[in-house]
Amino acid sequence: MLKSGGHIDRDTEVITVQNVSKSFGDLHVLRGVDLHLFKGENLVVLGRSGTGKSVLIKLISGLLKPDLGTIEVLGEHVDELSEKELQQLRLKIGFSFQNSALYDSMTVRENLEFPLVRNKRHLSRGEINHEVEDVLDAVGLLHTINQMPSELSGGQRKRIGIARTLILRPEIMLYDEPTAGLDPITCIEINGLINEVQEKYKTSSIIITHDLACAKSVGDRIVMLLDGKFEREGEFDQIFDTDDERVKPFYDYNFIT
Amino acid sequence: MIKKIQRILIELANIHRFVMRFYREVFMPPYEFKEIIRQCYEVGWKSLPLISLTGFITGVVFTNQSRPSLAEFGATSWLPALISIAIIRALAPLVTALIASGKVGSQIGAELGSMRVTEQIDAMEVSGTNPFKFLVVSRVLATTITIPILSFYTAGVGLIGAFLSVNQSENTSFTVYFDQVFEAVTYLDIFSLVLKAVVFGFTIGIVGCYQGYHSSKGTEGVGRAANWAVVMSMFLIFIEEILIVQIIQAMRA
Ligand SMILES: Nc1ncnc2c1ncn2[C@@H]1O[C@H](COP(=O)(O)OP(=O)(O)OP(=O)(O)O)[C@@H](O)[C@H]1O
Ligand SMILES: [Mg+2]
């Protein structure tokens, strides 16, 4: 029971990851990962804690460098770009962090303004305010505009974090565990938000999660990271049609069979 | 033992790279004027109460401690000259820098450390802002600009503290005291104060930022960053003090 996904352009790849490996010291986190994200697609990445899901999207956004392999984003090789070019490319990538990473010395308004003021210097004060209120409204938190991040709940912080990345109108969204640690109702809201973002802003997204309900409601396609590689790929029902002991617990636990 | 030396050498190489990166980025636009001014305010204004108190007490105590020795030779009239040289050459920049490394250095270390740990620095980077420039360059410039100003202020407060003591015991008037104070001071003394304060200010900023920026994950990493920022900058300040005194002595000759 996956989403329709009629708007996906299967001829255009916006992210191509080929044979990427990454180790920290003796810890081999990723060992030859391949991943393709098509334009307009919501791709869900499943995997156990510590398998390197966060590392993968940090590689994609150039925060970390791969030991081996190539990463292409919107037609550019991330690891070959100069610092300037990388900065330009990053404006097209929205990165929603696992722990929201809001700037805690700034108000919600200043958090949202930050990328805008610094990257679109031609905008007037009025235009900036308009943009800020617009995305804040899109995530349903207009009333928190003057609050500090420390005054917000975990779910609100997540949504502000997503709003902050949307403000630059990215073509690609990377969500790191958008529903982790939230109550079911907030989870449903966030899932709705992810789908809304995809439709409204025509983004292509990678969504990292262990939450199968989230995977089911937002994913056009699902891949599973097992032992440093993507071993299973497909639609929701295909992924869990297996006796693999590394895969079954995800399903059994989430749907209490 | 060899492991330890190796780690210290690696750390030194990292700091060297950090300082080089500072010099590379400080001259490259865009310039973060607004953030620099905000940081100057943070560094300067917020340490003012503590600096005022310490500077004042230093002046009073130094005067009271020096008086008996001079009195033995019946030379208490030299007190203002002695005080001014001691405060301006040595005490003002050193006291200011030590107070600031405790207050400002640890704050910078903790602030950047917690931004590193909670991925706020990464978030800046992926949203198209150079975090080194925005966070590190602005803070280092702020301490380098502010510590000299604070040092002059400390010298002023210290001289006033000393005046109150001299006025009490020797009945020296305000004008006579300050005439003698300024007569004793040379341009080289002022130069030495500025040179020390600039070097100390830079040290406090760069060490605090380095520790915070490279803080290890976890909350204990933040504590360690703040702690090391203080220990390391105080250590460096003492070494720099010794070196600068040698240089100034050579210039005096
Ligand atoms: N900067 C780093 N330095 C050293 N080790 C790291 C670094 N980043 C990640 N690791 C290690 O890589 C492994 C994978 O980390 P990662 O954060 O990608 O896991 P994850 O799949 O996102 O897990 P979770 O679901 O808990 O978020 C972990 O063992 C982690 O300790
Ligand atoms: Mg993670």
Side-chain angles (χ1 to χ4, degrees):
Chain A
M1 201 220 51
L2 273 149
K3 303 176 26 191
S4 65
H7 42 278
I8 301 172
D9 174 3
R10 292 206 180 271
D11 296 327
T12 318
E13 285 188 24
V14 290
I15 297 180
T16 311
V17 173
Q18 276 175 319
N19 194 27
V20 160
S21 299
K22 179 76 186 170
S23 315
F24 298 102
D26 295 336
L27 183 68
H28 301 289
V29 180
L30 299 177
R31 319 161 186 230
V33 165
D34 289 295
L35 174 147
H36 306 271
L37 178 69
F38 297 105
K39 195 166 167 50
E41 183 183 35
N42 272 354
L43 174 69
V44 167
V45 175
L46 289 176
R48 287 186 64 183
S49 203
T51 46
K53 305 184 298 299
S54 300
V55 168
L56 177 68
I57 56 172
K58 283 181 184 165
L59 287 166
I60 290 173
S61 62
L63 282 174
L64 295 172
K65 298 256 170 281
D67 301 337
L68 268 181
T70 56
I71 300 169
E72 244 179 280
V73 177
L74 296 169
E76 307 201 60
H77 286 274
V78 175
D79 38 341
E80 290 170 8
L81 295 179
S82 72
E83 206 153 313
K84 263 249 141 58
E85 293 167 325
L86 187 57
Q87 226 174 30
Q88 286 306 313
L89 179 63
R90 278 169 171 163
L91 299 182
K92 301 179 193 154
I93 308 174
F95 195 133
S96 155
F97 282 83
Q98 190 162 353
N99 58 21
S100 312
L102 299 183
Y103 307 130
D104 44 34
S105 60
M106 305 182 195
T107 65
V108 168
R109 179 195 288 280
E110 289 164 339
N111 261 281
L112 295 183
E113 274 177 13
F114 191 83
L116 209 53
V117 172
R118 309 185 55 75
N119 293 301
K120 308 244 164 104
R121 289 175 190 264
H122 57 277
L123 291 183
S124 73
R125 190 70 250 173
E127 286 170 315
I128 289 173
N129 287 344
H130 179 79
E131 288 284 303
V132 168
E133 282 156 26
D134 191 47
V135 288
L136 210 46
D137 201 31
V139 299
L141 286 174
L142 196 50
H143 59 282
T144 62
I145 191 160
N146 290 319
Q147 283 179 300
M148 298 301 286
S150 55
E151 299 165 342
L152 303 175
S153 74
Q156 288 175 324
R157 293 167 63 94
K158 276 264 156 66
R159 281 191 278 170
I160 300 287
I162 294 173
R164 186 177 64 185
T165 63
L166 287 177
I167 204 156
L168 289 171
R169 303 280 183 260
E171 294 170 37
I172 297 173
M173 283 293 291
L174 306 172
Y175 297 95
D176 198 347
E177 307 204 9
T179 60
L182 303 178
D183 69 88
I185 295 174
T186 314
C187 286
I188 292 168
E189 282 174 15
I190 298 251
N191 296 343
L193 178 63
I194 294 174
N195 283 326
E196 233 172 80
V197 165
Q198 183 191 22
E199 273 167 33
K200 190 170 168 194
Y201 300 109
K202 304 277 179 281
T203 52
S204 328
S205 314
I206 294 179
I207 300 114
I208 290 176
T209 189
H210 340 251
D211 173 4
L212 290 206
C214 169
K216 203 165 180 175
S217 98
V218 305
D220 295 313
R221 184 162 56 102
I222 296 173
V223 293
M224 196 148 189
L225 192 55
L226 295 166
D227 301 323
K229 285 201 193 94
F230 286 125
E231 288 200 2
R232 298 190 70 78
E233 182 200 324
E235 302 201 342
F236 192 84
D237 298 323
Q238 297 169 311
I239 289 267
F240 294 101
D241 184 17
T242 173
D243 286 328
D244 192 330
E245 281 307 319
R246 299 170 302 176
V247 181
K248 264 166 69 73
F250 275 84
Y251 191 85
D252 295 350
Y253 183 78
N254 272 268
F255 297 100
I256 319 175
T257 48
Chain B
M1 183 66 193
I2 287 177
K3 265 243 163 77
K4 235 181 190 162
I5 293 174
Q6 207 174 4
R7 268 197 25 212
I8 292 175
L9 289 179
I10 290 173
E11 182 87 350
L12 282 177
N14 286 339
I15 294 177
H16 174 75
R17 213 168 324 138
F18 196 77
V19 174
M20 284 301 132
R21 184 165 176 200
F22 171 83
Y23 284 121
R24 213 170 43 238
E25 304 220 356
V26 70
F27 296 112
M28 264 195 302
Y31 306 110
E32 308 282 357
F33 289 119
K34 241 170 94 183
E35 185 62 13
I36 294 171
I37 290 169
R38 202 177 72 79
Q39 289 303 327
C40 283
Y41 169 81
E42 288 279 319
V43 174
W45 189 250
K46 294 202 168 155
S47 21
L48 216 48
L50 193 57
I51 297 254
S52 306
L53 186 70
T54 322
F56 185 81
I57 291 176
T58 305
V60 175
V61 170
F62 179 76
T63 311
N64 290 344
Q65 296 293 331
S66 314
R67 185 175 291 114
S69 324
L70 286 185
E72 258 179 58
F73 306 101
T76 48
S77 60
W78 288 1
L79 214 40
L82 173 72
I83 292 162
S84 85
I85 288 175
I87 286 185
I88 288 176
R89 275 192 203 163
L91 291 173
L94 196 59
V95 166
T96 311
L98 292 181
I99 297 281
S101 69
K103 188 157 166 60
V104 178
S106 63
Q107 196 195 334
I108 291 177
E111 197 182 4
L112 293 198
S114 72
M115 289 187 79
R116 167 62 72 199
V117 169
T118 58
E119 298 183 317
Q120 292 176 51
I121 294 182
D122 290 336
M124 245 174 224
E125 193 154 357
V126 295
S127 68
T129 294
N130 177 347
F132 192 90
K133 188 143 217 170
F134 185 77
L135 299 170
V136 175
V137 172
S138 63
R139 280 172 175 74
V140 175
L141 285 181
T143 52
T144 311
I145 295 167
T146 319
I147 301 298
I149 298 172
L150 283 177
S151 295
F152 275 109
Y153 173 78
T154 309
V157 179
L159 288 173
I160 289 171
F163 165 71
L164 292 182
S165 165
V166 173
N167 181 258
Q168 280 273 308
S169 311
E170 280 87 23
N171 280 324
T172 317
S173 78
F174 188 81
T175 38
V176 170
Y177 170 79
F178 274 100
D179 274 348
Q180 293 182 1
V181 161
F182 287 122
E183 207 168 308
V185 178
T186 62
Y187 281 114
L188 197 59
D189 295 331
I190 303 282
F191 173 73
S192 114
L193 181 149
V194 174
L195 178 65
K196 281 183 191 176
V198 167
V199 171
F200 295 165
F202 181 79
T203 304
I204 292 167
I206 207 98
V207 169
C209 286
Y210 172 80
Q211 292 296 345
Y213 208 76
H214 292 285
S215 156
S216 52
K217 297 272 160 168
T219 36
E220 117 262 36
V222 178
R224 197 162 39 217
N227 195 358
W228 271 103
V230 180
V231 173
M232 213 163 128
S233 56
M234 284 197 178
F235 177 70
L236 289 175
I237 284 170
F238 285 123
I239 294 180
E240 288 160 357
E241 163 79 26
I242 294 169
L243 291 178
I244 293 175
V245 167
Q246 300 301 322
I247 294 170
I248 297 288
Q249 290 300 355
M251 287 170 73
R252 216 180 284 282

